[in-house]
Amino acid sequence: MNDRLLKAARRQPTDTTPVWLMRQAGRYLPEYRAIRGNIAFLDLCKHPDLAAEVTVQPVTRLGVDAAIIFSDILIPVEAMGIVLELGDKGPHFPQPVRTAADIERLAVPDPVEGTGFVAEAIRRTRKALNDSVPVIGFAGAPFTLAAYMVEGGGSKSYILIKRLLFEQPKLAHAFFQKLTDTLIPYLKMQVEAGASIVQIFDSWGGELSPYDFERFSLPYLTRMVKELQAAGVPVIVFGTGMSTHLPLLKRTGADVIGLDWRIPADDGRRILGQDVAVQGNLDPLHLFLPREELEGRVVDILKRAGPVGHIFNLGHGILPPTDPEAAKFLVESVHRHGAALRQGTLAP
């Protein structure tokens, strides 16, 4: 196996910097669109053969150092007993969670019974790849999932979920506890199926103040990290707009902290210290730069992050209009210049 990513996550030496891209299996790839044109998104997530096929596509086309299983962070939420609609305009919950009774009705599902198709997709992905690269499992963080469930979808102000936190904190904690009790077995199922590293997306955690993040997100992230590490895999924690939360994210004990593009990688390193790996942090829209400028951004990030304990990635997901050839150029540039960084030949 190409185990660069696993070594980097544990801050071990690698021959070059490993790279993968959030949302690397998706609409920017024509081969993905060819499959997606015949099936609804949610159905694709639940079809192990097709989910495995689209998981493998970017590994084959781009040469990335890991495959992240094709799924969605809201898949385990649906198994809790709430109606989920996933379309091109994003997620929608026709009956959002708003009351104590709504939260009480939510189940803590058996992961195999409710979401076993994810595990099967991981097994089929590993077989299709012949274990040539690691498979990344993932889940959303309790706060982020709760935000979707309470708001009924995406939001600009997050007024409903924040009112729940501030007006009924005990109920909010009960909600997050139930989500955590669902997510840990869900991730462990992915590990048992063959995921050798997992990422937790607290996509909306940056909407909370540091004080509120410490109260309402940190305890649950920390528990998830510890239990997954006990299952034998490294854990990545990632969220956007969380530069001010980096000291808190380090307290989760995660092996890797994801950085978005709003903070230089060396600043992130100084805040986090050298005993944790970092992931990131190219602005996804930099993939629209001319090749020479894109290559310069890659070199700058590699220098700032250093040769040990760095996984190159975007600061958020790759965008649908992106040219796949730009993504391939990015991966090749990371590998070429990452090797030069280790050999001491990277141009100043």
Side-chain angles (χ1 to χ4, degrees):
M1 178 186 287
N2 165 4
D3 61 353
R4 290 175 186 142
L5 180 132
L6 300 179
K7 287 181 176 178
R10 295 187 170 104
R11 303 180 306 284
Q12 297 170 353
T14 55
D15 61 330
T16 189
T17 301
V19 53
W20 67 280
L21 308 176
M22 286 181 278
R23 296 182 188 155
Q24 65 186 19
R27 288 178 289 171
Y28 76 104
L29 291 178
E31 53 266 46
Y32 169 84
R33 293 196 299 271
I35 293 173
R36 181 70 174 79
N38 300 314
I39 189 170
F41 180 87
L42 196 54
D43 292 336
L44 178 54
C45 291
K46 296 178 180 179
H47 194 299
D49 279 334
L50 293 180
E53 184 177 347
V54 298
T55 299
V56 170
Q57 287 174 350
V59 179
T60 303
R61 180 184 272 260
L62 307 181
V64 288
D65 294 297
I68 183 166
I69 194 63
F70 182 81
S71 188
D72 190 272
I73 62 172
L74 296 172
I75 290 294
V77 166
E78 184 186 40
M80 296 176 76
I82 184 171
V83 176
L84 168 64
E85 298 173 356
L86 280 175
D88 290 336
K89 295 184 178 180
H92 174 61
F93 293 98
Q95 293 89 40
V97 175
R98 300 278 168 81
T99 67
D102 293 337
I103 294 170
E104 180 64 28
R105 280 193 294 270
L106 294 172
V108 176
D110 177 281
V112 176
E113 291 181 6
T115 54
F117 49 85
V118 176
E120 185 58 30
I122 290 172
R123 287 189 285 268
R124 296 186 191 193
T125 296
R126 288 185 59 197
K127 183 177 180 180
L129 290 170
N130 196 27
D131 282 336
S132 57
V133 297
V135 177
I136 304 170
F138 71 91
F143 171 76
T144 288
L145 299 186
Y148 277 115
M149 296 165 77
V150 173
E151 298 286 344
S155 175
K156 292 182 178 180
S157 64
Y158 299 90
I159 187 171
L160 298 175
I161 182 64
K162 287 189 176 184
R163 285 190 64 180
L164 176 65
L165 305 188
F166 305 152
E167 295 175 353
Q168 302 182 76
K170 289 184 179 180
L171 181 60
H173 281 295
F175 190 12
F176 298 149
Q177 186 65 51
K178 183 170 279 191
L179 283 164
T180 304
D181 289 343
T182 296
L183 293 167
I184 290 172
Y186 174 67
L187 283 169
K188 286 184 176 180
M189 176 191 72
Q190 295 181 49
V191 172
E192 290 167 2
S196 48
I197 185 169
V198 298
Q199 175 159 309
I200 303 171
F201 288 86
D202 203 356
S203 306
W204 305 126
E207 297 297 324
L208 294 172
S209 71
Y211 176 82
D212 294 318
F213 184 87
E214 185 174 18
R215 291 178 67 201
F216 293 107
S217 187
L218 181 61
Y220 306 100
L221 285 175
T222 302
R223 182 182 158 208
M224 290 175 69
V225 167
K226 288 181 178 179
E227 295 213 25
L228 268 298
Q229 288 171 333
V233 296
V235 180
I236 308 166
V237 173
F238 170 78
T240 59
M242 299 183 76
S243 299
T244 56
H245 295 7
L246 290 180
L248 294 169
L249 289 176
K250 183 173 182 179
R251 284 169 51 188
T252 66
D255 301 273
V256 186
I257 303 297
L259 305 174
D260 70 11
W261 66 93
R262 297 173 180 88
I263 183 171
D266 49 347
D267 287 348
R269 275 236 186 255
R270 279 193 289 271
I271 294 168
L272 292 167
Q274 295 300 317
D275 57 341
V276 62
V278 295
Q279 178 175 277
N281 63 334
L282 186 77
D283 184 334
L285 281 167
H286 285 164
L287 286 166
F288 294 88
L289 286 167
R291 295 291 194 268
E292 183 178 349
E293 291 186 50
L294 173 58
E295 190 169 15
R297 305 295 175 98
V298 168
V299 170
D300 180 67
I301 290 171
L302 289 171
K303 288 179 177 178
R304 290 177 182 275
V308 178
H310 177 217
I311 299 167
F312 199 102
N313 208 316
L314 304 178
H316 203 195
I318 193 168
L319 297 165
T322 304
D323 180 357
E325 289 305 307
K328 184 176 181 181
F329 178 83
L330 169 68
V331 172
E332 292 171 347
S333 295
V334 171
H335 285 157
R336 183 171 65 257
H337 293 298
L341 178 67
R342 285 153 177 80
Q343 294 160 8
T345 59
L346 185 61

